[in-house]
């Protein structure tokens, strides 16, 4: 055990080492400019289900041959003169059997606008999206499919994946966030938004949806596959296959998480600094670079 008088060089060296152990890790940590984490992210596979709310418009060789249908009564003004009720089916696939749908399929048989087939198609389908990880949220999502073909077709298949997009990070709360839980196709007739959008158009619906902080969309992975095979059926077959991969969710961490991450950064500099200074201090004392006294054992309080 090394001892020295107060205000001696050895004592000053000991005080300086303690000061360096405290100050240097703090200085090195704050110089990284990433001590207080303001935004973080994690991966989560959302839970997606079809709400059976949609708007579909299909046209043949001319606008007069257009047909359409919608489940929403307030969207009837967007439909052409010919309204045809399609057959709609939805299914899910859970490849890894974890209780979360990995693939969501939407199949529709729409009466043809003409005997030749369909050359253009617009589909707006509403989905319910839920996040149950660090951020809890229920979101009304909208999948838009706008297709056109140079020739009349009897069917088309679309393959893509669901993409979750957000403008700002989300806050962690005990209750689920429901700011955008409303169906994107729903229109409140008493809202202040509707009078300024007369006559209502599909562009207005899409623009209102894109102004949300959190949205989901269908990103097509391959071009649409049109079916030009002549068919005796009087219906146009549409199939949309959408995979649901894990998404990056950006959020604002809580104070406990921020402090934990800050302490880990300080500790990463504190331990190496303490080891180096303890080694240098031992060399200085062992080789008597500063004057110290060696005491085998300090007397106990009872022997004084």
């Amino acid at each position: 055990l090394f001892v020295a008088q107060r205000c001696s060089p050895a004592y000053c060296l000991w005080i300086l080492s303690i000061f360096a152990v405290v100050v240097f890790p703090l200085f090195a940590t704050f110089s990284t400019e990433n001590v207080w984490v303001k935004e973080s992210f994690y991966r989560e596979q959302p839970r997606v289900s079809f709400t059976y709310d949609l708007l579909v418009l299909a046209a043949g060789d001319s606008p007069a041959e257009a047909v359409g249908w919608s489940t929403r009564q307030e969207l009837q003004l967007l439909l052409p003169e010919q309204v045809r009720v399609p057959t709609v089916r939805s299914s899910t696939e859970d490849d890894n059997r974890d209780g979360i749908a990995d693939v969501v399929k939407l199949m529709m048989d729409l009466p043809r606008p003409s005997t030749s087939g369909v050359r253009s198609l617009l589909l707006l389908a509403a989905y319910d999206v839920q996040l149950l990880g660090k951020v809890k949220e229920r979101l009304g999502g909208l999948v838009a499919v706008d297709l056109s073909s140079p020739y009349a077709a009897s069917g088309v298949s679309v393959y893509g994946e669901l993409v979750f997009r957000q403008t700002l990070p989300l806050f962690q709360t005990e209750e689920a966030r429901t700011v955008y839980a409303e169906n994107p196709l729903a229109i409140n007739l008493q809202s202040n938004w509707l009078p300024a959008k007369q006559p209502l158009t599909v562009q207005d619906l899409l623009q209102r949806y894109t102004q949300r902080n959190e949205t989901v969309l269908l990103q097509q992975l391959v071009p649409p596959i049109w079916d030009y095979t002549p068919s005796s059926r009087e219906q146009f077959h549409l199939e949309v296959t959408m995979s649901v991969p894990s998404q990056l969710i950006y959020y604002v961490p809580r104070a406990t998480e921020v402090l934990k991450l800050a302490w880990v950064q300080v500790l990463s500099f504190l331990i190496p600094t303490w080891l180096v200074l303890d080694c240098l201090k031992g060399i200085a004392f062992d080789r008597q670079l500063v004057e110290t006294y060696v005491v085998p054992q300090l007397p106990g309080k009872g022997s004084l």
Side-chain angles (χ1 to χ4, degrees), residues 44-263:
E44 179 184 352
Q45 185 180 12
R47 290 150 175 82
V48 181
S49 59
F50 182 48
T51 63
Y52 289 91
D53 268 342
L54 56 84
L55 169 69
V56 60
L57 301 173
D61 296 329
S62 63
E65 298 177 347
V67 299
W69 184 71
S70 176
T71 56
R72 310 293 304 189
Q73 184 66 28
E74 58 270 28
L75 299 181
Q76 298 298 319
L77 297 177
L78 299 178
L79 301 179
E81 295 183 359
Q82 300 186 50
V83 178
R84 299 290 185 270
V85 180
T87 302
V88 181
R89 300 182 301 275
S90 178
S91 63
T92 60
E93 296 180 4
D94 185 7
D95 298 331
N96 52 9
R97 301 182 183 276
D98 60 350
I100 303 177
D102 298 311
V103 178
V104 180
K105 290 186 177 182
L106 173 62
M107 293 157 286
M108 178 187 303
D109 290 322
L110 179 68
R112 291 188 186 183
S114 63
T115 57
S116 57
V118 172
R119 296 188 59 179
S120 62
L121 176 73
L122 173 64
L123 171 68
L124 301 180
Y127 286 81
D128 183 68
V129 182
Q130 292 186 2
L131 299 176
L132 301 178
K134 291 186 177 182
V135 175
K136 297 179 177 59
E137 180 179 21
R138 183 177 179 182
L139 172 68
L142 183 65
V143 170
V145 177
D146 187 10
L147 306 173
S148 60
S149 171
Y151 308 104
S154 59
V156 64
S157 299
V158 179
Y159 298 90
E161 67 178 13
L162 183 80
V163 177
F164 178 85
R165 290 186 177 180
Q166 57 185 127
T167 305
L168 299 174
L170 303 174
F171 288 92
Q172 294 179 277
T173 57
E174 296 297 332
E175 297 182 357
R177 174 182 169 89
T178 58
V179 177
Y180 302 116
E182 184 182 9
N183 191 324
L185 295 178
I187 298 178
N188 186 0
L189 300 179
Q190 298 179 353
S191 65
N192 298 328
W193 173 83
L194 186 59
K197 302 297 181 181
Q198 295 297 332
L200 183 66
T201 62
V202 175
Q203 182 180 358
D204 295 331
L205 289 176
L206 296 177
Q207 185 177 6
R208 183 186 66 167
Y209 178 70
T210 56
Q211 291 176 350
R212 295 182 173 187
N213 182 66
E214 304 98 59
T215 57
V216 295
L217 54 88
L218 174 64
Q219 182 177 1
Q220 297 187 29
L221 302 178
V222 296
I225 302 175
W226 292 90
D227 184 9
Y228 299 108
T229 304
S231 175
S232 59
R233 298 186 307 172
E234 297 182 355
Q235 295 179 332
F236 178 83
H237 181 71
L238 168 66
E239 183 172 342
V240 179
T241 303
M242 179 175 61
S243 62
V244 186
S246 297
Q247 307 290 324
L248 279 178
I249 312 298
Y250 292 88
Y251 69 99
V252 177
R254 295 177 177 176
T256 53
E257 185 176 351
V258 173
L259 293 175
K260 181 186 69 175
L261 295 176
W263 169 244

